[in-house]
Amino acid sequence: MLMAAWSIVLLIAFFSNRGEDVGRLSSTISNLGGGPLFGSGIFDSMAGAAVALVIFIAWLGLGSFISIFLGSENGPRHSHVLELSIKAAMGAAAWSLIWFLLGTLGLYSGAAAVTTAIIGTLLGIFAFKRTKAAVSESRIPEPAGMFDRLLLLLAAVPVGLSFIASLAPPTAKDTLLYHFSVPKQFIAHGSNAVIEGNIASYLALGTEMHSLWAMLLGGVIGPRSGEAAAGAVIWLFFPLLLAAVFGFAREIDISRRWSLIAVLMAATVPTAYHVAANAYIDIALAFYILLATYSLTRWWKSSNNYWLLPVAIFLGAALSAKLTTLFVIAAFALVILFRVRKAQQNEPDNVGKLAAYGFGALLLAGLVASPWYLRTFAATGSPIFPFYMNIWEGKASGWDIERSNLFQMMNSQYGGYVKTPLDYLLAPWNLSVTAQPEIATHFDGVLGVAFLAGLPLLLFVFWKLKDSDPERRTAINICVSIAAAAFLFWLFSSQQLRYLLPIVPLLAIAIAAAGQSAAEKIKGSGRLLEITLTTTATASLLVSFAWFAQKAPLRVVLGGEAPEQYLTRNLDYFPYYEWLNSESAPEAKVWLINMRRDSYNLQRPYFSDYLFEDWTLKKWVWESGSAAELREKAKQAGLTYVLTRHDFLFDYDRTPLVDDKKPRAENEEKLRIARDFVLGSPIRSDQRFSLVKVF
């Protein structure tokens, strides 16, 4: 009863903060209509989905082939669903490295995409022929009741909505900044050589290799098919993650129903929907880390070093996707250290071997990811460029230590500009209740209240009650330990909600295990706990659906709406890009200022500062005595047009152009010069944007 009352409080508080999405659902839901539903564009979407399916078969085929050499160790609770996820993950990790190598050799082409797809498909056919067991579990199936079917249906809703959205033209900021734009530029160059001035091209882009493959393969059919394929192939990590959650839970003897509740909790996180719908990489990261954690639990139990190879592969794949995996690797190191310490008591002769193999697996993970970081090191002098240049300085055009430090400061603003001890203490509440998308101080995302509802249950069960299954208890302890360590690293670094997604599946499994243990030991509590966690998780579905309705991608995916119309609805600056793409000369170079550095939709040469997009403007303004002089600087740099978002640029209290060390009169004069340059004789303009021609 206490948990039910706590959940009601959480739901009331949660919905009181949802005025910008759920609160507007009655008006935004009309976006789903407004015109014909079907058109010829549906064939591009279907082709993109088909290409993603081919790539998935290739993942599974190569992963199955690799597993032949790694061997296997199946337990009595073996889940074929989890086995499929593991093989797909191994294949995805391997294909990512293959595409890195192809890029290094300058072989990014349609022919390479088709050839690799054929090889992958043949491997997939071979894998299916070798698979005798159905995609199920190696145990007597539990009967699936109505409630189980409801759980599965509810979990399928965000998966289905995100799949539809993934096929639509991209509109999310980071997708346009680099998840799609960098692969597009790599394809144009035929290689993965870093692109001068594009700082995002120096990042580890292991997951984006699948987008690149999909763009090339779908591009054989047409550009729009390639774009849809790129979104769909990254979306694949979402259902694979949920399958892995279910399989992991079943293997540690969590019932079908409670396993489905864990799946529902992970599936209904609104930010998980957003990531899957927009080709962000955080779901892939969570998928790899979940499987690495599962492998670590198997190693802990059996001391069989076979399981350290998947740990290395999956952590390496995660590190190839994002540098923040280092925090998770640190958490893994702590778990390995505890295992070695335990061995000192029970297996003293095995201590050295356990330590060597355990920490060796972490070093091997670094080796798996090293090609990306060695590439960056060779180009800049720092493997972690463009981050932490105060620790390891690197050099590249368009970036310096000052901007690197500003980037660190910008990341520290997530969760609040100034954080007090009370803010850190209240972080779980704020994450669950007050978090908002697109607002850095509110974590730039939405988690929902299901995890906060289940946290007291988790603490109570695993501190006060003894689990009847020691193996399950050990696995959950490892999941909770890694999640807790990663959360602490997150809490004192960049509090961006997306960065927490890797621990969401771990906590979902742990809470489900706690619910099952409580139901077994406290008579009559089972159904109430099931309903409570299901209700709190389902509440978040309204947020995901509201976000889906705001962008309304259904008609463009089915062909009833033209991609240009969809982009105009969702990107207020897109008409300016349309004008440049159709009216300017092909060689005309455009200077983008505060345009989210969206180079993906611009079919012209461009210049734009990375992240701090008015950096060059500020520098030139302070070096110029007039707008004419500033215009001459732009002309000498070979710039033909300047497209600027200016709605805050000339507000003295908000603009980054002001130098606080200078007198106000001097600052106002510089703002006047910038205003004359940006707004003088525009080709077209409105209250937010201005397009001018330099010469």
Side-chain angles (χ1 to χ4, degrees), residues 591 616-624 630 633-634 637 639:
W591 183 8
T616 298
L617 177 64
K618 180 177 181 178
K619 179 176 181 292
W620 285 359
V621 161
W622 282 93
E623 291 175 353
S624 303
L630 179 56
K633 285 182 178 292
L639 299 168

Side-chain angles (χ1 to χ4, degrees), residues 509-526:
I509 293 170
I511 290 171
Q516 178 171 305
S517 295
E520 291 170 350
K521 295 180 179 296
I522 304 174
K523 189 176 180 180
S525 65

Side-chain angles (χ1 to χ4, degrees), residues 1-304:
M1 290 298 294
L2 286 175
M3 183 174 173
W6 169 238
S7 298
I8 291 171
V9 171
L10 288 174
L11 288 171
I12 292 172
F14 178 68
F15 283 115
S16 69
N17 285 278
R18 301 264 49 91
E20 294 301 312
D21 37 54
V22 178
R24 295 184 177 182
L25 190 55
S26 59
S27 59
T28 57
I29 199 170
S30 61
N31 294 340
L32 298 176
L37 196 59
F38 295 97
S40 60
I42 190 173
F43 297 107
D44 291 320
S45 300
M46 292 173 64
V51 167
L53 178 60
V54 169
I55 292 177
F56 169 71
I57 293 171
W59 290 354
L60 195 58
L62 183 55
S64 299
F65 183 72
I66 292 170
S67 68
I68 295 173
F69 299 95
L70 293 182
S72 63
E73 185 192 53
N74 297 333
R77 302 167 181 167
H78 176 65
S79 169
H80 290 291
V81 172
L82 183 59
E83 181 185 356
L84 181 145
S85 299
I86 289 173
K87 289 179 178 178
M90 284 187 176
W95 278 116
S96 176
L97 284 173
I98 289 170
W99 276 97
F100 173 87
L101 178 61
L102 290 173
T104 303
L105 297 174
L107 295 177
Y108 286 159
S109 66
V114 172
T115 301
T116 50
I118 292 172
I119 294 171
T121 302
L122 292 175
L123 287 171
I125 293 171
F126 174 70
F128 285 126
K129 285 185 176 180
R130 290 185 68 251
T131 303
K132 297 180 180 179
V135 180
S136 58
E137 299 164 326
S138 298
R139 70 188 84 199
I140 298 174
E142 298 176 20
M146 288 296 296
F147 194 71
D148 296 338
R149 294 188 179 96
L150 176 63
L151 290 169
L152 190 59
L153 177 63
L154 290 172
V157 171
V159 175
L161 293 177
S162 60
F163 173 64
I164 294 169
S166 73
L167 294 170
T171 58
K173 180 171 62 177
D174 282 6
T175 308
L176 300 175
L177 176 65
Y178 74 99
H179 294 314
F180 272 18
S181 64
V182 172
K184 181 181 178 182
Q185 291 180 70
F186 280 170
I187 290 170
H189 288 76
S191 74
N192 60 16
V194 291
I195 302 161
E196 185 178 356
N198 189 331
I199 304 303
S201 68
Y202 294 92
L203 301 176
L205 300 167
T207 304
E208 284 83 357
M209 290 296 95
H210 302 298
S211 296
L212 183 145
W213 187 7
M215 285 181 183
L216 281 170
L217 191 57
V220 173
I221 304 169
R224 178 71 192 102
S225 297
E227 182 178 74
V233 78
I234 303 302
W235 168 86
L236 282 171
F237 287 103
F238 194 21
L240 282 171
L241 171 68
L242 300 180
V245 169
F246 181 81
F248 190 169
R250 295 296 284 142
E251 284 217 358
I252 58 175
D253 207 27
I254 298 177
S255 70
R256 179 190 296 274
R257 177 164 299 177
W258 278 105
S259 297
L260 287 172
I261 289 173
V263 170
L264 181 65
M265 292 177 68
T268 53
V269 172
T271 292
Y273 158 81
H274 175 76
V275 167
N278 292 289
Y280 281 28
I281 64 173
D282 306 87
I283 291 290
L285 193 69
F287 178 51
Y288 289 130
I289 289 171
L290 175 66
L291 294 180
T293 303
Y294 164 76
S295 302
L296 188 65
T297 65
R298 296 298 302 270
W299 174 75
W300 180 291
K301 177 195 173 188
S302 67
S303 298
N304 186 340

Side-chain angles (χ1 to χ4, degrees), residues 447-522:
L447 178 65
V449 295
F451 292 90
L452 191 55
L455 185 59
L457 175 66
L458 179 63
L459 296 175
F460 172 73
V461 168
F462 287 94
W463 280 1
K464 298 295 184 181
L465 299 179
K466 289 187 177 180
D467 198 296
S468 57
D469 187 332
E471 183 180 343
R472 181 170 64 202
R473 178 62 180 260
T474 298
I476 296 307
N477 284 345
I478 291 173
C479 288
V480 172
S481 298
I482 291 173
F487 177 78
L488 288 174
F489 281 121
W490 174 88
L491 195 63
F492 295 101
S493 55
S494 178
Q495 294 183 5
Q496 190 162 13
L497 203 148
R498 280 190 291 112
Y499 296 171
L500 269 187
L501 284 183
I503 73 171
V504 162
L506 304 178
L507 290 178
I509 293 170
I511 290 171
Q516 178 171 305
S517 295
E520 291 170 350
K521 295 180 179 296
I522 304 174

